[in-house]
Every structure is written in structure tokens, then in C-alpha cells.
């Protein structure tokens, strides 16, 4: 039986987590690309400025989705080919990093702007830039504060007395594993919930994200 947060009544954080910084290129960040898109919009309204603004906003979104999906463990999934952007975006959704409403808006605008030689309308570009900014604001904090470990929690009761007492967890980036402690801060005695477990993994990730971010 794979344990889930719902198996523990009134599961709440008591202390933690410890945060770490995840790997980001030194010379450019998703926020910088987004700022370039704003500068493109502010410097003119012709097709060239619209195309450049859209391109930089897409770079911003794609870069952050790539960084976050890797940090939350997507590379540990056994897939036949490297994950593309839509699958990485869905992975971020499953981790609780974007709302369904934002995801729908991103997908709608992607369908409009994916043609290689498409000349976007100003209104579409502005909408895309705004949506990217919402995604950035909601998630770029993970770049400097990824909830990696030393999370301590309590619960009122278990749905089944045979379930183990879970006292906290570690969640190191990139590994795609959540280590649920049975003893305080003892990973060697922990229960491992892996990204390959799909739904249980995402439920624990969402629990961590909702309580730490």
C-alpha cells in the first residue's frame, strides 16, 4: 500500500522546511527574458516588436518550466523520449505549480502562436506576456527557496491503524523521491515515494508546495 496525505487526518506542518537554491544559468533567468519582452512592447508596436516580445515571453515560460520540472523530478520518469514542453507543463500542473485556469490560457495562446511564421496580434502578445508574468510570480520563488528537507509535521489520526506514523520528510531536488520519515530526520528508515508512483507522488508534492510556498 502506497501511503498518501489523505490517509492522515489533520496532517499539518509543525516546522521547516529548510530551503536550498536550485541550479539556474548564471547569465540569464526566466525573469530577464520576461523583462526583455516588456522592453520589446514598450519600444514599438509594429510586427517586429510584437514578434520579439512574444519570442522572449515564450523563452521565459519555457525556461522556468524546464528548470522547475527537472527540480521536481521529471527526468526520473522512464519515458522513451525526452519530455517536450507540453509534458513538462503538465508535470508542473500535477505538482501543483500552476492553476488549471492559467494552464488553459497558456495552451490557448500556444495554439495561436506556435506557427513558425505567424505574425501575432498585439493583443495576443500582451495576453501571453501577462500570463507568463502570472506563472513567474507564482513559481520563481522556488529558484531560491526549494523546500528540500527538515520538514516536520503532526497528524490527529490515521485512516488505518496499520499505517506507519509519518513524522516529516526530505524532498531533495532532481531525485524524484520524497523520503517520509518514520523516525525524526532519519532518511535511512524512511518510506520512499517516487515520481514513478505518479498520483501518490504528486499528492505529496502538492502537500509540500501548499504548506511551504
Amino acid at each position: 500500500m502506497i501511503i498518501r496525505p489523505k490517509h492522515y487526518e489533520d496532517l499539518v506542518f509543525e516546522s521547516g522546511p529548510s530551503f536550498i537554491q536550485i541550479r539556474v544559468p548564471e547569465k540569464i533567468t526566466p525573469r530577464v527574458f520576461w523583462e526583455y519582452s516588456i522592453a520589446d512592447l514598450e519600444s514599438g508596436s509594429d510586427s517586429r516588436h510584437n514578434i520579439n516580445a512574444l519570442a522572449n515571453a515564450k523563452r521565459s515560460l519555457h525556461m522556468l518550466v524546464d528548470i522547475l520540472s527537472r527540480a521536481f523530478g521529471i527526468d526520473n520518469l522512464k519515458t522513451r523520449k525526452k519530455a517536450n514542453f507540453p509534458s513538462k507543463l503538465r508535470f508542473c500542473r500535477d505538482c501543483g505549480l500552476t492553476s488549471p485556469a492559467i494552464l488553459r490560457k497558456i495552451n490557448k495562446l500556444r495554439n495561436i502562436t506556435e506557427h513558425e511564421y505567424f505574425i501575432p496580434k498585439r493583443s495576443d502578445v500582451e495576453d501571453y506576456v501577462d500570463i507568463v508574468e502570472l506563472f513567474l510570480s507564482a513559481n520563481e520563488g522556488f529558484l531560491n527557496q526549494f523546500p528540500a528537507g527538515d520538514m516536520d509535521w503532526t497528524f490527529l489520526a490515521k485512516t488505518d491503524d496499520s499505517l506507519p506514523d509519518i513524522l516529516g520528510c526530505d524532498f531533495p531536488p532532481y531525485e524524484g523521491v520524497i523520503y517520509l520519515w518514520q523516525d525524526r530526520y532519519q532518511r535511512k528508515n524512511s518510506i520512499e515515494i517516487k515520481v514513478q508512483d505518479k498520483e501518490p507522488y504528486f499528492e505529496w508534492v502538492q502537500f509540500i508546495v501548499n504548506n511551504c510556498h
Side-chain angles (χ1 to χ4, degrees):
M1 180 181 185
I2 297 180
I3 60 176
R4 303 185 178 203
K6 65 184 181 182
H7 294 146
Y8 298 85
E9 184 179 340
D10 289 338
L11 182 64
V12 295
F13 268 64
E14 194 171 79
S15 64
S18 59
F19 294 106
I20 65 171
Q21 186 174 9
I22 59 178
R23 296 191 296 267
V24 179
E26 293 182 3
K27 295 184 178 180
I28 193 121
T29 66
R31 177 60 66 172
V32 170
F33 276 126
W34 182 82
E35 290 171 351
Y36 288 167
S37 71
I38 293 296
D40 291 326
L41 289 176
E42 291 177 346
S43 61
S45 58
D46 59 15
S47 296
R48 177 171 64 88
H49 292 95
N50 292 342
I51 290 170
N52 289 339
L54 178 64
N56 280 317
K58 288 175 65 176
R59 291 186 185 102
S60 174
L61 177 64
H62 282 234
M63 186 179 188
L64 185 56
V65 167
D66 185 63
I67 292 170
L68 291 177
S69 61
R70 291 177 183 275
F72 280 85
I74 195 172
D75 287 340
N76 298 281
L77 287 172
K78 295 180 180 179
T79 55
R80 293 184 179 180
K81 60 181 180 179
K82 186 177 180 181
N84 56 23
F85 175 75
S87 62
K88 290 178 181 179
L89 187 59
R90 287 192 297 271
F91 184 86
C92 289
R93 175 204 63 192
D94 292 340
C95 289
L97 304 181
T98 184
S99 69
I102 290 179
L103 188 65
R104 284 194 299 270
K105 290 179 180 179
I106 289 173
N107 285 331
K108 179 181 178 181
L109 291 169
R110 282 187 69 251
N111 291 336
I112 296 173
T113 60
E114 279 302 291
H115 300 293
E116 186 174 358
Y117 303 113
F118 174 76
I119 299 177
K121 294 188 296 184
R122 181 75 172 193
S123 59
D124 289 334
V125 177
E126 291 172 344
D127 286 345
Y128 198 93
V129 171
D130 287 344
I131 293 300
V132 172
E133 205 281 328
L134 287 175
F135 187 80
L136 286 176
S137 297
N139 295 296
E140 64 185 342
F142 288 114
L143 302 182
N144 294 314
Q145 290 189 315
F146 187 91
D150 297 337
M151 284 167 264
D152 222 352
W153 57 57
T154 61
F155 58 90
L156 181 63
K158 297 179 288 187
T159 58
D160 187 328
D161 289 338
S162 66
L163 291 166
D165 291 344
I166 301 299
L167 306 177
C169 79
D170 286 324
F171 182 36
Y174 308 107
E175 291 188 19
V177 180
I178 299 170
Y179 298 91
L180 301 175
W181 308 330
Q182 297 183 83
D183 300 316
R184 300 265 180 206
Y185 313 113
Q186 295 294 318
R187 186 182 294 187
K188 65 181 180 180
N189 295 322
S190 64
I191 297 168
E192 296 183 6
I193 306 296
K194 299 181 179 182
V195 66
Q196 293 89 347
D197 297 325
K198 299 292 181 65
E199 289 186 9
Y201 178 82
F202 292 129
E203 288 173 11
W204 282 109
V205 171
Q206 290 175 25
F207 173 73
I208 292 169
V209 166
N210 291 337
N211 283 276
C212 296
H213 185 53

